[in-house]
């Protein structure tokens, strides 16, 4: 099972922050896990230049469902690839909230991203009100169903990130039991039935996101069906993100051991 430490810089970062990327690459030349940073679009190609030849992969934070056209301010999957991205985050709760993205829009973006050979990171998660009403599994189940039903994907082209909306940027996290419960449900949902593409649901990486930091990473990565993290705030500094990469790497098998 692949494991991925993915950083989401959101609307943060200018050219001077590329130094953090240089530090990250120097400190982690050969991590055992995959390592990805999704910077703002303005930094994509410069970050891709800095990352060239290293273990660091680069991704976008969103893409438009169409490949080109009259869509002021939007970015297409083709443009992300052209700028050096291999991955794209789709359906992040900040996009769902700030830009009123619906499950149907996210589904259209997923199709385009996969078509353009980008690895899609589909984000799902409940609000605090939904959790308190006991609706967590129903909400993420519906987001997954709407996103993936009859979609053709492989274990290499799709990643799912469980991000409780109330845990993002808040310093709050669900309990380990709550994270494990949702991840087991996600695994079960994509392993079976119409959401399994070519039987590959069992191998799709499931990331946890929401206030992941060096101090809680070990415990989260020890949970079954947690195959990495999508990290916001703590991905901005090489030292913090590097510690999370280190923590995830420690949970991967040593390739030099027989
Ligand atoms: P956070 O953000 O790590 O700052 O909570 C996570 C995310 O939104 O992907």
């Amino acid at each position: 099972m692949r494991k991925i430490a993915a950083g989401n810089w959101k609307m943060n970062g200018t050219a001077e922050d590329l130094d953090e990327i240089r530090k990250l690459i120097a400190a982690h030349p050969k991590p055992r896990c995959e390592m990805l940073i999704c910077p703002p679009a303005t930094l994509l190609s410069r970050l891709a230049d800095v990352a060239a030849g290293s273990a660091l992969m680069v991704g976008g934070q969103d893409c438009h469902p169409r490949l080109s056209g009259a869509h002021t301010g939007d970015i297409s999957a083709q443009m992300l690839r052209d700028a050096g991205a291999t991955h794209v985050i789709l359906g992040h709760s900040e996009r769902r909230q700030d830009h009123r993205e619906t499950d149907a829009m996210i589904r259209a973006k997923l199709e385009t991203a996969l078509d353009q050979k980008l690895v899609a990171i589909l984000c799902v998660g409940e609000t605090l009100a939904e959790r308190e009403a006991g609706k967590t599994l129903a909400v993420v189940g519906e987001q997954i169903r709407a996103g993936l039903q009859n979609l053709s994907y492989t274990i290499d082209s799709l990643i799912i990130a469980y991000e409780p909306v109330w845990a993002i940027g808040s310093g709050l996290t669900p309990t380990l039991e709550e994270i494990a419960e949702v991840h087991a449900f996600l695994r079960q949902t994509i392993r079976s039935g119409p959401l399994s593409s070519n039987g590959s649901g069992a191998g799709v990486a499931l990331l946890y996101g929401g206030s992941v930091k060096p101090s809680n990473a070990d415990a989260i990565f020890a949970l079954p069906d947690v195959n990495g993290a999508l990290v916001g705030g703590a991905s901005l500094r090489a030292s913090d993100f590097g510690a999370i990469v280190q923590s995830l790497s420690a949970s991967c098998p040593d390739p030099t051991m027989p």
Side-chain angles (χ1 to χ4, degrees):
M1 169 68 73
R2 58 211 284 243
K3 299 206 178 185
I4 303 148
N8 172 11
W9 277 17
K10 310 189 177 183
M11 200 173 72
N12 297 291
T14 55
E16 63 185 23
D17 298 297
L18 292 173
D19 274 345
E20 293 301 312
I21 297 301
R22 293 186 186 94
K23 284 188 220 163
L24 180 70
I25 292 170
H28 302 277
K30 286 186 180 167
R32 282 189 212 160
C33 63
E34 294 180 22
M35 186 166 72
L36 170 76
I37 291 284
C38 301
T42 47
L43 279 185
L44 262 175
S45 64
R46 278 177 287 178
L47 203 150
D49 285 347
V50 172
S54 81
L56 181 68
M57 301 180 292
V58 182
Q61 298 176 8
D62 176 50
C63 71
H64 194 276
R66 292 188 189 274
L67 291 185
S68 63
H71 302 287
T72 302
D74 278 313
I75 294 175
S76 75
Q78 219 169 34
M79 292 168 180
L80 292 180
R81 281 191 63 83
D82 183 52
T86 49
H87 292 59
V88 62
I89 298 171
L90 293 175
H92 190 282
S93 61
E94 286 151 16
R95 301 284 319 171
R96 292 178 191 258
Q97 283 174 345
D98 296 357
H99 298 270
R100 298 200 175 82
E101 288 194 9
T102 62
D103 282 335
M105 289 160 74
I106 294 159
R107 164 60 183 235
K109 292 177 180 206
L110 265 171
E111 285 178 21
T112 306
L114 295 179
D115 214 48
Q116 291 300 306
K117 308 279 181 266
L118 288 168
V119 179
I121 304 176
L122 171 64
C123 301
V124 298
E126 82 287 3
T127 62
L128 189 55
E130 288 163 343
R131 175 160 282 275
E132 286 174 348
K135 292 187 182 149
T136 299
L137 299 185
V139 168
V140 300
E142 175 53 24
Q143 289 169 335
I144 288 284
R145 193 202 58 75
L148 301 187
Q149 194 148 39
N150 300 324
L151 184 73
S152 186
Y153 62 84
T154 68
I155 51 171
D156 295 322
S157 64
L158 180 73
I159 296 168
I160 294 171
Y162 168 54
E163 298 205 306
V165 178
W166 52 276
I168 294 175
S170 63
L172 303 171
T173 53
T175 64
L176 296 173
E177 290 73 22
E178 287 167 339
I179 296 174
E181 180 194 24
V182 176
H183 278 244
F185 171 77
L186 289 174
R187 177 68 69 214
Q188 174 58 30
T189 306
I190 57 168
R191 184 183 276 151
S192 55
L195 301 185
S196 156
S197 181
N198 313 322
S200 56
V204 168
L206 302 179
L207 313 186
Y208 168 76
S211 298
V212 175
K213 42 189 184 261
S215 59
N216 60 18
D218 279 347
I220 293 171
F221 295 151
L223 294 171
D225 285 319
V226 173
N227 315 116
L230 181 54
V231 184
S235 71
L236 297 170
R237 297 272 80 85
S239 53
D240 286 345
F241 191 62
I244 292 167
V245 168
Q246 190 78 41
S247 189
L248 187 60
S249 285
S251 75
C252 299
D254 181 346
T256 64
M257 297 291 277

mmCIF file of all heavy atoms in Angstrom, residues 197-234:
data_model
loop_
_atom_site.group_PDB
_atom_site.id
_atom_site.type_symbol
_atom_site.label_atom_id
_atom_site.label_comp_id
_atom_site.label_asym_id
_atom_site.label_seq_id
_atom_site.Cartn_x
_atom_site.Cartn_y
_atom_site.Cartn_z
ATOM 1 N N SER A 197 -13.595 0.278 -8.737
ATOM 2 C CA SER A 197 -13.231 0.271 -10.146
ATOM 3 C C SER A 197 -12.189 -0.816 -10.370
ATOM 4 O O SER A 197 -11.110 -0.759 -9.797
ATOM 5 C CB SER A 197 -12.668 1.633 -10.532
ATOM 6 O OG SER A 197 -12.329 1.665 -11.877
ATOM 7 N N ASN A 198 -12.486 -1.782 -11.167
ATOM 8 C CA ASN A 198 -11.589 -2.908 -11.447
ATOM 9 C C ASN A 198 -11.105 -3.568 -10.168
ATOM 10 O O ASN A 198 -9.957 -3.957 -10.058
ATOM 11 C CB ASN A 198 -10.358 -2.451 -12.246
ATOM 12 C CG ASN A 198 -10.739 -1.568 -13.397
ATOM 13 O OD1 ASN A 198 -11.745 -1.818 -14.031
ATOM 14 N ND2 ASN A 198 -9.954 -0.533 -13.651
ATOM 15 N N GLY A 199 -11.962 -3.586 -9.168
ATOM 16 C CA GLY A 199 -11.573 -4.213 -7.909
ATOM 17 C C GLY A 199 -10.446 -3.504 -7.196
ATOM 18 O O GLY A 199 -9.780 -4.068 -6.338
ATOM 19 N N SER A 200 -10.205 -2.229 -7.540
ATOM 20 C CA SER A 200 -9.022 -1.561 -7.001
ATOM 21 C C SER A 200 -9.286 -0.787 -5.717
ATOM 22 O O SER A 200 -8.393 -0.190 -5.165
ATOM 23 C CB SER A 200 -8.430 -0.630 -8.046
ATOM 24 O OG SER A 200 -9.415 0.279 -8.474
ATOM 25 N N GLY A 201 -10.547 -0.824 -5.246
ATOM 26 C CA GLY A 201 -10.878 -0.031 -4.066
ATOM 27 C C GLY A 201 -10.028 -0.353 -2.850
ATOM 28 O O GLY A 201 -9.702 0.528 -2.061
ATOM 29 N N ALA A 202 -9.637 -1.629 -2.735
ATOM 30 C CA ALA A 202 -8.871 -2.026 -1.555
ATOM 31 C C ALA A 202 -7.516 -1.336 -1.529
ATOM 32 O O ALA A 202 -6.918 -1.166 -0.469
ATOM 33 C CB ALA A 202 -8.701 -3.532 -1.526
ATOM 34 N N GLY A 203 -7.007 -0.939 -2.691
ATOM 35 C CA GLY A 203 -5.653 -0.382 -2.740
ATOM 36 C C GLY A 203 -5.578 1.133 -2.812
ATOM 37 O O GLY A 203 -4.488 1.706 -2.845
ATOM 38 N N VAL A 204 -6.719 1.804 -2.844
ATOM 39 C CA VAL A 204 -6.695 3.274 -2.934
ATOM 40 C C VAL A 204 -6.210 3.854 -1.602
ATOM 41 O O VAL A 204 -6.686 3.463 -0.539
ATOM 42 C CB VAL A 204 -8.110 3.806 -3.271
ATOM 43 C CG1 VAL A 204 -8.198 5.302 -3.087
ATOM 44 C CG2 VAL A 204 -8.487 3.423 -4.692
ATOM 45 N N ALA A 205 -5.264 4.777 -1.671
ATOM 46 C CA ALA A 205 -4.727 5.372 -0.438
ATOM 47 C C ALA A 205 -5.771 6.279 0.202
ATOM 48 O O ALA A 205 -6.404 7.098 -0.471
ATOM 49 C CB ALA A 205 -3.455 6.150 -0.751
ATOM 50 N N LEU A 206 -5.944 6.127 1.516
ATOM 51 C CA LEU A 206 -6.877 6.954 2.281
ATOM 52 C C LEU A 206 -6.070 7.861 3.214
ATOM 53 O O LEU A 206 -5.362 7.365 4.105
ATOM 54 C CB LEU A 206 -7.810 6.072 3.129
ATOM 55 C CG LEU A 206 -8.671 5.041 2.385
ATOM 56 C CD1 LEU A 206 -9.510 4.242 3.385
ATOM 57 C CD2 LEU A 206 -9.579 5.724 1.371
ATOM 58 N N LEU A 207 -6.164 9.163 3.003
ATOM 59 C CA LEU A 207 -5.420 10.108 3.841
ATOM 60 C C LEU A 207 -6.351 10.709 4.887
ATOM 61 O O LEU A 207 -7.538 10.901 4.633
ATOM 62 C CB LEU A 207 -4.839 11.252 2.991
ATOM 63 C CG LEU A 207 -4.115 10.879 1.704
ATOM 64 C CD1 LEU A 207 -3.475 12.123 1.088
ATOM 65 C CD2 LEU A 207 -3.056 9.815 1.953
ATOM 66 N N TYR A 208 -5.785 11.029 6.036
ATOM 67 C CA TYR A 208 -6.534 11.826 7.013
ATOM 68 C C TYR A 208 -6.028 13.268 6.923
ATOM 69 O O TYR A 208 -4.820 13.503 6.752
ATOM 70 C CB TYR A 208 -6.338 11.303 8.458
ATOM 71 C CG TYR A 208 -6.885 12.329 9.424
ATOM 72 C CD1 TYR A 208 -8.264 12.463 9.602
ATOM 73 C CD2 TYR A 208 -6.047 13.252 10.060
ATOM 74 C CE1 TYR A 208 -8.786 13.474 10.391
ATOM 75 C CE2 TYR A 208 -6.560 14.259 10.849
ATOM 76 C CZ TYR A 208 -7.935 14.369 11.008
ATOM 77 O OH TYR A 208 -8.451 15.387 11.766
ATOM 78 N N GLY A 209 -6.927 14.240 7.029
ATOM 79 C CA GLY A 209 -6.519 15.649 7.049
ATOM 80 C C GLY A 209 -7.322 16.420 8.073
ATOM 81 O O GLY A 209 -8.508 16.132 8.297
ATOM 82 N N GLY A 210 -6.688 17.433 8.652
ATOM 83 C CA GLY A 210 -7.341 18.269 9.667
ATOM 84 C C GLY A 210 -6.469 18.339 10.901
ATOM 85 O O GLY A 210 -6.452 17.422 11.714
ATOM 86 N N SER A 211 -5.688 19.453 10.982
ATOM 87 C CA SER A 211 -4.822 19.701 12.147
ATOM 88 C C SER A 211 -3.807 18.581 12.410
ATOM 89 O O SER A 211 -3.487 18.279 13.562
ATOM 90 C CB SER A 211 -5.665 19.975 13.398
ATOM 91 O OG SER A 211 -6.445 21.152 13.215
ATOM 92 N N VAL A 212 -3.300 17.980 11.320
ATOM 93 C CA VAL A 212 -2.183 17.030 11.485
ATOM 94 C C VAL A 212 -0.922 17.846 11.748
ATOM 95 O O VAL A 212 -0.660 18.846 11.073
ATOM 96 C CB VAL A 212 -1.988 16.158 10.226
ATOM 97 C CG1 VAL A 212 -0.758 15.264 10.380
ATOM 98 C CG2 VAL A 212 -3.223 15.304 9.972
ATOM 99 N N LYS A 213 -0.166 17.432 12.750
ATOM 100 C CA LYS A 213 1.088 18.102 13.081
ATOM 101 C C LYS A 213 2.094 17.076 13.565
ATOM 102 O O LYS A 213 1.708 15.913 13.795
ATOM 103 C CB LYS A 213 0.843 19.193 14.120
ATOM 104 C CG LYS A 213 -0.106 18.838 15.243
ATOM 105 C CD LYS A 213 -0.435 20.070 16.073
ATOM 106 C CE LYS A 213 -1.305 19.671 17.243
ATOM 107 N NZ LYS A 213 -2.711 19.899 17.073
ATOM 108 N N PRO A 214 3.362 17.478 13.718
ATOM 109 C CA PRO A 214 4.359 16.484 14.133
ATOM 110 C C PRO A 214 3.957 15.750 15.402
ATOM 111 O O PRO A 214 4.198 14.553 15.535
ATOM 112 C CB PRO A 214 5.629 17.324 14.347
ATOM 113 C CG PRO A 214 5.463 18.476 13.413
ATOM 114 C CD PRO A 214 3.988 18.788 13.402
ATOM 115 N N SER A 215 3.291 16.430 16.328
ATOM 116 C CA SER A 215 3.000 15.801 17.627
ATOM 117 C C SER A 215 1.875 14.763 17.570
ATOM 118 O O SER A 215 1.781 13.919 18.459
ATOM 119 C CB SER A 215 2.661 16.874 18.660
ATOM 120 O OG SER A 215 1.539 17.614 18.222
ATOM 121 N N ASN A 216 1.003 14.807 16.558
ATOM 122 C CA ASN A 216 -0.061 13.779 16.529
ATOM 123 C C ASN A 216 0.086 12.806 15.355
ATOM 124 O O ASN A 216 -0.707 11.881 15.199
ATOM 125 C CB ASN A 216 -1.469 14.419 16.532
ATOM 126 C CG ASN A 216 -1.722 15.331 15.336
ATOM 127 O OD1 ASN A 216 -1.014 15.256 14.330
ATOM 128 N ND2 ASN A 216 -2.725 16.192 15.431
ATOM 129 N N ALA A 217 1.123 13.023 14.518
ATOM 130 C CA ALA A 217 1.244 12.222 13.296
ATOM 131 C C ALA A 217 1.462 10.735 13.587
ATOM 132 O O ALA A 217 0.806 9.880 12.982
ATOM 133 C CB ALA A 217 2.379 12.771 12.422
ATOM 134 N N ASP A 218 2.348 10.414 14.526
ATOM 135 C CA ASP A 218 2.648 8.996 14.797
ATOM 136 C C ASP A 218 1.381 8.220 15.140
ATOM 137 O O ASP A 218 1.146 7.133 14.615
ATOM 138 C CB ASP A 218 3.610 8.860 15.989
ATOM 139 C CG ASP A 218 5.056 9.088 15.586
ATOM 140 O OD1 ASP A 218 5.339 9.106 14.367
ATOM 141 O OD2 ASP A 218 5.893 9.251 16.491
ATOM 142 N N ALA A 219 0.574 8.804 16.021
ATOM 143 C CA ALA A 219 -0.630 8.096 16.480
ATOM 144 C C ALA A 219 -1.626 7.929 15.334
ATOM 145 O O ALA A 219 -2.250 6.867 15.185
ATOM 146 C CB ALA A 219 -1.267 8.857 17.637
ATOM 147 N N ILE A 220 -1.761 8.954 14.507
ATOM 148 C CA ILE A 220 -2.712 8.868 13.381
ATOM 149 C C ILE A 220 -2.215 7.841 12.356
ATOM 150 O O ILE A 220 -2.993 7.024 11.850
ATOM 151 C CB ILE A 220 -2.919 10.262 12.760
ATOM 152 C CG1 ILE A 220 -3.651 11.179 13.762
ATOM 153 C CG2 ILE A 220 -3.699 10.167 11.442
ATOM 154 C CD1 ILE A 220 -3.729 12.639 13.360
ATOM 155 N N PHE A 221 -0.920 7.853 12.070
ATOM 156 C CA PHE A 221 -0.387 6.935 11.054
ATOM 157 C C PHE A 221 -0.392 5.478 11.520
ATOM 158 O O PHE A 221 -0.252 4.568 10.709
ATOM 159 C CB PHE A 221 1.022 7.356 10.626
ATOM 160 C CG PHE A 221 1.059 8.686 9.917
ATOM 161 C CD1 PHE A 221 2.188 9.499 9.985
ATOM 162 C CD2 PHE A 221 -0.035 9.131 9.191
ATOM 163 C CE1 PHE A 221 2.212 10.732 9.338
ATOM 164 C CE2 PHE A 221 -0.022 10.356 8.541
ATOM 165 C CZ PHE A 221 1.111 11.162 8.622
ATOM 166 N N ALA A 222 -0.525 5.279 12.825
ATOM 167 C CA ALA A 222 -0.569 3.898 13.329
ATOM 168 C C ALA A 222 -1.951 3.264 13.144
ATOM 169 O O ALA A 222 -2.112 2.067 13.328
ATOM 170 C CB ALA A 222 -0.185 3.878 14.810
ATOM 171 N N LEU A 223 -2.941 4.072 12.757
ATOM 172 C CA LEU A 223 -4.306 3.541 12.630
ATOM 173 C C LEU A 223 -4.453 2.692 11.364
ATOM 174 O O LEU A 223 -3.855 3.014 10.330
ATOM 175 C CB LEU A 223 -5.310 4.694 12.565
ATOM 176 C CG LEU A 223 -5.443 5.543 13.839
ATOM 177 C CD1 LEU A 223 -6.307 6.776 13.556
ATOM 178 C CD2 LEU A 223 -6.045 4.712 14.959
ATOM 179 N N PRO A 224 -5.269 1.635 11.435
ATOM 180 C CA PRO A 224 -5.504 0.849 10.223
ATOM 181 C C PRO A 224 -6.227 1.688 9.180
ATOM 182 O O PRO A 224 -7.023 2.568 9.533
ATOM 183 C CB PRO A 224 -6.404 -0.300 10.711
ATOM 184 C CG PRO A 224 -6.919 0.112 12.046
ATOM 185 C CD PRO A 224 -5.991 1.141 12.615
ATOM 186 N N ASP A 225 -5.936 1.457 7.932
ATOM 187 C CA ASP A 225 -6.588 2.163 6.822
ATOM 188 C C ASP A 225 -6.283 3.657 6.766
ATOM 189 O O ASP A 225 -6.970 4.402 6.076
ATOM 190 C CB ASP A 225 -8.111 1.943 6.822
ATOM 191 C CG ASP A 225 -8.471 0.559 6.334
ATOM 192 O OD1 ASP A 225 -7.845 0.090 5.354
ATOM 193 O OD2 ASP A 225 -9.344 -0.086 6.947
ATOM 194 N N VAL A 226 -5.282 4.118 7.495
ATOM 195 C CA VAL A 226 -4.779 5.494 7.304
ATOM 196 C C VAL A 226 -3.454 5.362 6.560
ATOM 197 O O VAL A 226 -2.498 4.795 7.075
ATOM 198 C CB VAL A 226 -4.588 6.238 8.639
ATOM 199 C CG1 VAL A 226 -3.914 7.597 8.397
ATOM 200 C CG2 VAL A 226 -5.931 6.425 9.340
ATOM 201 N N ASN A 227 -3.445 5.851 5.328
ATOM 202 C CA ASN A 227 -2.267 5.663 4.472
ATOM 203 C C ASN A 227 -1.515 6.959 4.230
ATOM 204 O O ASN A 227 -0.799 7.092 3.239
ATOM 205 C CB ASN A 227 -2.693 5.038 3.135
ATOM 206 C CG ASN A 227 -3.657 3.884 3.321
ATOM 207 O OD1 ASN A 227 -4.804 3.942 2.890
ATOM 208 N ND2 ASN A 227 -3.203 2.836 3.994
ATOM 209 N N GLY A 228 -1.709 7.930 5.127
ATOM 210 C CA GLY A 228 -0.990 9.192 4.985
ATOM 211 C C GLY A 228 -1.848 10.342 5.438
ATOM 212 O O GLY A 228 -2.886 10.161 6.077
ATOM 213 N N ALA A 229 -1.398 11.558 5.094
ATOM 214 C CA ALA A 229 -2.107 12.749 5.574
ATOM 215 C C ALA A 229 -2.132 13.832 4.505
ATOM 216 O O ALA A 229 -1.228 13.917 3.663
ATOM 217 C CB ALA A 229 -1.428 13.290 6.824
ATOM 218 N N LEU A 230 -3.206 14.635 4.571
ATOM 219 C CA LEU A 230 -3.264 15.869 3.803
ATOM 220 C C LEU A 230 -3.111 16.987 4.837
ATOM 221 O O LEU A 230 -3.925 17.109 5.749
ATOM 222 C CB LEU A 230 -4.596 15.985 3.048
ATOM 223 C CG LEU A 230 -4.790 17.226 2.171
ATOM 224 C CD1 LEU A 230 -3.664 17.409 1.165
ATOM 225 C CD2 LEU A 230 -6.130 17.158 1.419
ATOM 226 N N VAL A 231 -2.037 17.756 4.686
ATOM 227 C CA VAL A 231 -1.606 18.667 5.743
ATOM 228 C C VAL A 231 -1.679 20.107 5.255
ATOM 229 O O VAL A 231 -1.117 20.434 4.208
ATOM 230 C CB VAL A 231 -0.140 18.334 6.138
ATOM 231 C CG1 VAL A 231 0.297 19.200 7.313
ATOM 232 C CG2 VAL A 231 0.014 16.861 6.465
ATOM 233 N N GLY A 232 -2.364 20.957 5.986
ATOM 234 C CA GLY A 232 -2.446 22.372 5.614
ATOM 235 C C GLY A 232 -1.360 23.164 6.319
ATOM 236 O O GLY A 232 -0.205 23.194 5.896
ATOM 237 N N GLY A 233 -1.718 23.794 7.425
ATOM 238 C CA GLY A 233 -0.817 24.707 8.145
ATOM 239 C C GLY A 233 0.580 24.149 8.370
ATOM 240 O O GLY A 233 1.581 24.848 8.136
ATOM 241 N N ALA A 234 0.668 22.893 8.795
ATOM 242 C CA ALA A 234 1.983 22.327 9.125
ATOM 243 C C ALA A 234 2.799 21.964 7.882
ATOM 244 O O ALA A 234 3.925 21.497 8.003
ATOM 245 C CB ALA A 234 1.816 21.099 10.024
#
